[in-house]
Amino acid sequence: MRRRTRFILVAHALTAAFHVLPGAALAHAFGVVGVALGVGLWLAVALRLQRLGHDQPRPRWLTRLVDEPLFAHWFGAALGLVFWPVTAGATLSLGVVSPLAALPATAAAAYGLGLCVALWGTYVTRRRVRIERVALSFSDLPRAFDGYRIAQLTDLHVGSYDRVERGLQWVALANDLNADVIVVTGDLVTAGTSFYADAARVVGELRARDGVLVVMGNHDQWDNDALTRDLQARGVRVLKNSHLCIEREGQALQFAGLDDAYTGKDDLSVTLSAARANFTVLLSHYPRFFDEAVKKGARLTLSGHTHGGQFAVPGLAKWLNLARMLGQHPRGSFGDDRGRLHVSAGLGTTGPPIRLGIRPEISCITLMRAEGTRSDPHPES
């Protein structure tokens, strides 16, 4: 609760700052009425942010016609602060108006430009799912698993914005990959317990020869036992500091699943207790466990959590994204011949339902046996 309170306070402070430009433009255009409109927009966004911690079912029309445009406005106002020096500089360099007279016009232009970008991220980028195909080579991969295919879904965040219908579209894409196993690496829902049944339905519709494996993320902890029961009732295997061996031709491939670290349920030593005896793929919602996992014998770690940053500079997303700015692994494959890490950008969103520069994705990872492995980090595919 303390963390949530701090998050809400910071969000409200930022929201107030974001409304400086649209507020100034509205005040200049409509006087006192404009000021009231600016305050009203700020309060509307603040109230919606307050509800993010408890995702409840809402009428579809309300989500589409009110919530999504409201968050697009919020993010557009934030981008406006970034764009404003450019619009102000361009206007003043022309010498058409005085600096003081240019302020409202440049504020409105910056906000308008930011809003256009935000609307694109809300209604276009967020819905354009890509299939990320990755081939990873290991000299010690059991021969029976050469060409073994893993489909990874992560950060579904099934809820008010990505409903069960969209989740089933993701399922169709994943099932078409004809994977040997499908793994889901956490954050099945956004917040609260209202969408547990929907998330379980989505994951329960996934199909692979060796089944579906799930580990939990920080957003799945409101009543994790209930969510686990819903998933198991649909035939899904949930790994909590435990492992599962898949055998072929007398050889084994081990999948180990780490429980949630946010609530302190993780135990990497127990999870990887048999890693050195088997070729082990670790499923960890958080990529930060990769280095320690390599030391304990994991050969491949599959993670999510970062959403690839969710917000990035288009065209420069590999380098300029929110995850990298926060010191986290963004999307892509990393590591060397000691061990590999693959971080998926995931499918859903957290916070505002917007993706900018980072498309949602499903990863299709093919394991290959090789005489040697490259020691240089894998580039993003």
Side-chain angles (χ1 to χ4, degrees):
M1 288 300 296
R2 287 195 299 269
R3 290 180 181 179
R4 182 175 178 272
T5 300
R6 286 197 298 267
F7 171 79
I8 291 296
L9 289 175
V10 171
H12 286 333
L14 289 174
T15 299
F18 295 164
H19 280 77
V20 169
L21 290 185
L26 287 170
H28 181 264
F30 303 107
V32 176
V33 175
V35 173
L37 286 173
V39 173
L41 280 172
W42 169 68
L43 287 175
V45 174
L47 289 173
R48 193 64 193 98
L49 285 172
Q50 194 76 26
R51 294 175 174 270
L52 283 179
H54 294 82
D55 192 17
Q56 298 290 332
R58 293 164 67 83
R60 188 180 300 272
W61 69 266
L62 190 61
T63 300
R64 294 291 181 263
L65 300 181
V66 177
D67 293 346
E68 290 183 352
L70 198 61
F71 277 115
H73 153 75
W74 179 83
F75 191 56
L79 289 176
L81 289 176
V82 177
F83 295 148
W84 181 69
V86 178
T87 58
T91 301
L92 296 177
S93 66
L94 297 175
V96 177
V97 293
S98 68
L100 185 61
L103 286 176
T106 56
Y111 168 69
L113 181 58
L115 182 61
C116 289
V117 174
L119 289 171
W120 180 267
T122 301
Y123 295 105
V124 180
T125 305
R126 189 166 67 90
R127 290 173 168 81
R128 296 177 60 197
V129 180
R130 66 193 296 269
I131 304 298
E132 171 79 348
R133 299 182 185 274
V134 181
L136 299 177
S137 297
F138 301 89
S139 59
D140 57 342
L141 179 72
R143 294 187 184 278
F145 292 92
D146 187 19
Y148 193 82
R149 188 176 297 174
I150 305 169
Q152 180 193 6
L153 290 76
T154 192
D155 298 273
L156 281 64
H157 290 284
V158 174
S160 297
Y161 301 112
D162 289 308
R163 297 175 182 251
V164 65
E165 295 82 7
R166 181 164 296 139
L168 293 176
Q169 294 174 3
W170 301 336
V171 166
L173 291 172
N175 288 346
D176 284 346
L177 295 174
N178 195 31
D180 293 286
V181 68
I182 296 178
V183 301
V184 183
T185 50
D187 280 1
L188 281 64
V189 297
T190 297
T193 62
S194 298
F195 291 93
Y196 278 6
D198 286 349
R201 179 186 172 190
V202 169
V203 176
E205 292 291 329
L206 294 167
R207 297 290 182 267
R209 282 183 287 275
D210 292 327
V212 179
L213 309 178
V214 170
V215 293
M216 298 297 186
N218 50 303
H219 285 260
D220 303 322
Q221 301 304 316
W222 296 81
D223 189 348
N224 187 251
D225 290 340
L227 179 57
T228 299
R229 289 192 297 270
D230 287 348
L231 292 166
Q232 291 174 335
R234 291 182 174 271
V236 175
R237 180 68 178 263
V238 180
L239 299 177
K240 297 184 177 183
N241 298 330
S242 58
H243 59 263
L244 171 70
C245 281
I246 295 172
E247 296 187 357
R248 287 188 178 180
E249 303 174 12
Q251 297 179 321
L253 179 67
Q254 178 175 269
F255 286 89
L258 186 65
D259 207 351
D260 177 59
Y262 185 79
T263 49
K265 299 175 183 176
D266 59 303
D267 192 327
L268 192 61
S269 295
V270 170
T271 304
L272 296 176
S273 58
R276 298 194 185 280
N278 301 281
F279 187 99
T280 297
V281 178
L282 173 67
L283 309 180
S284 169
H285 179 62
Y286 307 90
R288 62 183 172 89
F289 286 98
F290 168 61
D291 290 334
E292 186 179 354
V294 170
K295 295 176 183 177
K296 294 182 181 297
R299 300 294 288 117
L300 172 62
T301 300
L302 302 180
S303 298
H305 184 60
T306 68
H307 298 201
Q310 192 168 318
F311 306 111
V313 178
L316 298 173
K318 181 177 179 179
W319 302 277
L320 298 179
N321 60 73
L322 185 59
R324 190 176 291 278
M325 293 175 186
L326 295 175
Q328 301 174 329
H329 283 292
R331 60 170 294 275
S333 298
F334 309 87
D336 54 30
D337 54 1
R338 295 170 301 166
R340 304 282 185 182
L341 167 68
H342 181 76
V343 183
S344 172
L347 290 160
T349 58
T350 187
I354 300 171
R355 279 182 177 264
L356 180 62
I358 303 288
R359 288 170 58 184
E361 68 183 20
I362 296 171
S363 297
C364 183
I365 301 154
T366 302
L367 305 183
M368 302 181 67
R369 181 179 172 86
E371 292 302 321
T373 54
R374 291 175 288 181
S375 59
D376 59 310
H378 272 275
E380 296 184 51
S381 298

